[in-house]
Amino acid sequence: MTTACAPGKVILFGEHAVVYGRPAIAVPVTQVRARAVVEDARSGHGLVIRALDLNLQHRFGTAVATDAPVYALEATVRHTLEWLGVETVPDLTLTLSSTVPIARGLGSGAAVATAIVRALAQHFGHSPTSRDVSDLVYQTEIIHHGTPSGIDNSVVAFEKPVYFVTGEPIQVLRVQQPFWLVVGDTGIASPTKIAVADVRRGWREHPDKYEALFKRIAAITVRAREAIAAGGIAMLGELMDENQELLEEMGVSSPELERLIDASRTAGAIGAKLCGAGRGGNMIALAESEKTRAIADRVREAGAANVIVSVVGATDRKSRRASTKESPPHDLGSP
Ligand code: PMV
């Protein structure tokens, strides 16, 4: 039996603009995880995929509609077996479960795919690099997102804070001083594909406006990287607020997101913004460690379906303990 896990993620800066070649910053969120377990089965069993949270069982290689949730799972398995050079369908059971909420900007599709790639590779005696895993998961991201920038597969596969530009090598960020994030879920599923397509439509219709927004977001992201490297937490908060304003102008925010963002600021957040595709999904608030509980409470009172507190850049046990998971298990599947 072989087991592998992968974390969720949040985008701190640069979502959407990253699809247009601008930089973005993302960090893993280890309080939510996807898990894949591979078990040998009797001869002739074939490969059966069990997605526990979806209450779904699928025989690999049998017909599946391209819009079915299992399509991306089947494709991930196929790409991985091809990469491993496994030519005949092995007799295996692949069991999947996840606490990463679906379509909420926390990278559930990338997390599940990463866990599958790692578990299958290990089961066949391979140790793929993070780069290998990221490249394979990118194929699944194309199914989920249409035109993914590649940031989700990168941050989840590397499991490190990353500064990302499409087509360039991943830069793992040095975090000078740990910082805390309160992650609030609107409870509204927002498929990345739709928000990305809407932004593309806006960009086609008003190229100057959107290019100007992307340029300003890129400048914010560059400054944020410097702030993270220098431990400039106050500056990081200001930059989050500025990035949120530009996302609002881009049309990817929503009243529900803004209600949670406002609540976090009222409770003392240093800065706050939506994260990921927007429209629904999650927001993040930057917080001093002693204020995380008050902010989490206020965000919950403002209607959050779920709240996670996560720390970025902490290596000591005390800081890690400060991260808590406050969610029941979520469904598993596409982002
Ligand atoms: O998967 P999400 O919802 O975190 O969004 C991904 C971020 C986008 O920039 C909107 C799309 C992309 O491919 O980078």
Side-chain angles (χ1 to χ4, degrees), residues 9-11 14-19 24 103-108 141 145 147-152 164 166 190-192 195-196 275-278 335:
K9 67 96 219 307
V10 289
I11 298 180
E15 51 272 272
H16 289 291
V18 68
V19 176
R104 309 282 176 83
L106 295 190
S108 77
E141 290 290 284
H145 291 192
T147 55
S149 63
I151 191 166
D152 281 17
F164 176 88
T166 300
S190 169
T192 304
V196 168
C275 64

Side-chain angles (χ1 to χ4, degrees), residues 2 38 81 84 86 88 90 92 119-126:
T2 317
V38 180
L81 292 178
L84 292 167
V86 176
T88 48
L92 296 175
L120 281 173
Q122 280 164 30
H123 198 77
F124 286 95
H126 289 252

Side-chain angles (χ1 to χ4, degrees), residues 176-194:
Q176 173 67 22
Q177 190 188 324
F179 54 90
W180 278 260
L181 296 173
V182 176
V183 186
D185 191 342
T186 59
I188 299 166
S190 169
T192 304
K193 224 176 195 168
I194 293 174

